[in-house]
C-alpha cells in the first residue's frame, strides 16, 4: 500500500516543471514514450474530474481520494494499451468505474442499498435529469438552494445499487452520451437505458420536494 501512496506523492510534489498546455493526444504520446512531465500534466488535467466523479459515487472524501490514487496508478500502467480509437475521457472513465466497482466490493458499500425493484413504482412519469440553475443566473438564495439539492442528490444516490448509481452519474452528471456511458459500463445500450430510466425515476421521486 505504501508504494502506491509514494507514487502519487512523487507525482504531485516532485518539482517537475509543468509542461505548456497541449492537446491530449500529444500528451498521451509523450507519456507513452516515457515523458514524466507529460504524464504529470495529464494527472493535473484530469484529477479533479476523477475526484468529482468518485465523490458523487460515494459521498465520501477518503473514498474519492483512494479512487483517484488507484485510477492514476492504473492509467500509468495501462497507458500503452490506449489506442486512440475511443476518446481518452471514455477510456479514463472505464478505469474509474472499474476502480469504483472494486472499491465498492472491498468496502461492501452496497449492504445499505435498497432494491431498485421496490423503488420504481412511478415509471409512468417522463424521464428527465435533475436540473441545476445556470451558473450565470445564480444569486445567494439560488446558490444555497442548489447546494442543498446537490447534497440531497448525493445522499439519494447512495441508496441506489452501484450500477444504477454509476449509470446516472455518467449520463446526467458527467454528461456522457448514452452510447459512451454504455461503453464505459461494459453493457448493451438497452441495458444501460433501462438502468438509467430506473435510477432517474427513483431520484426524481426522492427529490420531488425540490421541484415544487
Amino acid at each position: 500500500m505504501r508504494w502506491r501512496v509514494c507514487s502519487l506523492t512523487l507525482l504531485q510534489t516532485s518539482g517537475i516543471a509543468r509542461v505548456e498546455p497541449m492537446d491530449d493526444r500529444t500528451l498521451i504520446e509523450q507519456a507513452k514514450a516515457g515523458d514524466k512531465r507529460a504524464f504529470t500534466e495529464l494527472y493535473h488535467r484530469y484529477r479533479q474530474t476523477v475526484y468529482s466523479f468518485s465523490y458523487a459515487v460515494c459521498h465520501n472524501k477518503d473514498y474519492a481520494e483512494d479512487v483517484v490514487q488507484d485510477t492514476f496508478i492504473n492509467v500509468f500502467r495501462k497507458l500503452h494499451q490506449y489506442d486512440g480509437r475511443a476518446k481518452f475521457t471514455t477510456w479514463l472513465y472505464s478505469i474509474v468505474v472499474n476502480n469504483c466497482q472494486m472499491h465498492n466490493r472491498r468496502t461492501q458499500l452496497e449492504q445499505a442499498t435498497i432494491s431498485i425493484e421496490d423503488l420504481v413504482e412511478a415509471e409512468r412519469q417522463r424521464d428527465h435529469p435533475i436540473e441545476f440553475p445556470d451558473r450565470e443566473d445564480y444569486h445567494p438564495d439560488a446558490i444555497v438552494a442548489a447546494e442543498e439539492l446537490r447534497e440531497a442528490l448525493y445522499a439519494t444516490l447512495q441508496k441506489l445499487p452501484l450500477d444504477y448509481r454509476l449509470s446516472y452519474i455518467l449520463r446526467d452528471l458527467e454528461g456522457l452520451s448514452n452510447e459512451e456511458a454504455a461503453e464505459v459500463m461494459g453493457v448493451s445500450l438497452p441495458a444501460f437505458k433501462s438502468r438509467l430510466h430506473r435510477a432517474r425515476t427513483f431520484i426524481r421521486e426522492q427529490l420531488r420536494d425540490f421541484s415544487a
Side-chain angles (χ1 to χ4, degrees):
M1 182 70 178
R2 184 177 178 183
W3 71 268
R4 295 161 58 210
V5 176
C6 291
S7 295
L8 281 189
T9 300
L10 178 62
L11 180 65
Q12 292 173 279
T13 63
S14 61
I16 297 173
R18 296 280 296 277
V19 297
E20 291 299 318
M22 61 182 69
D23 63 273
D24 285 353
R25 184 179 297 275
T26 301
L27 282 175
I28 291 165
E29 291 305 315
Q30 291 182 358
K32 282 182 176 182
D35 188 333
K36 294 180 180 179
R37 293 177 302 173
F39 184 79
T40 300
E41 179 63 19
L42 281 174
Y43 169 80
H44 285 292
R45 187 170 292 185
Y46 289 105
R47 182 198 179 284
Q48 186 59 45
T49 297
V50 175
Y51 178 86
S52 297
F53 177 89
S54 305
Y55 184 79
V57 171
C58 64
H59 204 194
N60 181 289
K61 292 180 179 179
D62 291 337
Y63 172 106
E65 290 289 357
D66 285 346
V67 172
V68 170
Q69 177 172 280
D70 291 342
T71 294
F72 281 99
I73 287 172
N74 287 338
V75 169
F76 182 79
R77 288 175 171 174
K78 298 179 179 180
L79 192 58
H80 67 281
Q81 299 176 7
Y82 175 66
D83 57 15
R85 287 184 292 182
K87 292 195 299 187
F88 178 71
T89 49
T90 302
W91 184 78
L92 179 63
Y93 276 122
S94 298
I95 294 177
V96 181
V97 165
N98 183 62
N99 283 325
C100 286
Q101 291 169 330
M102 291 179 62
H103 198 285
N104 190 77
R105 288 193 289 269
R106 291 199 302 265
T107 57
Q108 298 182 329
L109 285 178
E110 286 196 309
Q111 285 183 345
T113 60
I114 49 182
S115 170
I116 190 67
E117 298 300 333
D118 297 332
L119 297 169
V120 291
E121 299 175 357
E123 289 189 2
R124 64 189 180 280
Q125 299 184 43
R126 182 175 61 87
D127 272 348
H128 59 80
I130 299 296
E131 295 182 358
F132 295 94
D134 291 334
R135 179 67 60 179
E136 55 269 23
D137 294 334
Y138 275 10
H139 52 79
D141 290 342
I143 292 173
V144 171
E147 288 303 317
E148 289 177 350
L149 173 57
R150 192 179 306 277
E151 286 301 305
L153 174 59
Y154 285 155
T156 300
L157 283 169
Q158 304 314 299
K159 300 177 182 179
L160 286 167
L162 182 61
D163 284 348
Y164 292 85
R165 198 185 317 162
L166 290 169
S167 297
Y168 181 89
I169 293 169
L170 286 168
R171 182 66 180 89
D172 287 347
L173 299 188
E174 298 299 313
L176 275 66
S177 68
N178 287 334
E179 292 76 12
E180 289 171 333
E183 180 181 351
V184 167
M185 294 288 295
V187 299
S188 68
L189 186 58
F192 173 79
K193 287 182 176 180
S194 176
R195 293 177 184 179
L196 178 63
H197 175 75
R198 291 170 181 269
R200 282 176 170 174
T201 299
F202 172 61
I203 290 170
R204 184 168 56 247
E205 286 298 297
Q206 292 290 299
L207 301 182
R208 58 189 171 188
D209 290 344
F210 284 91
S211 60

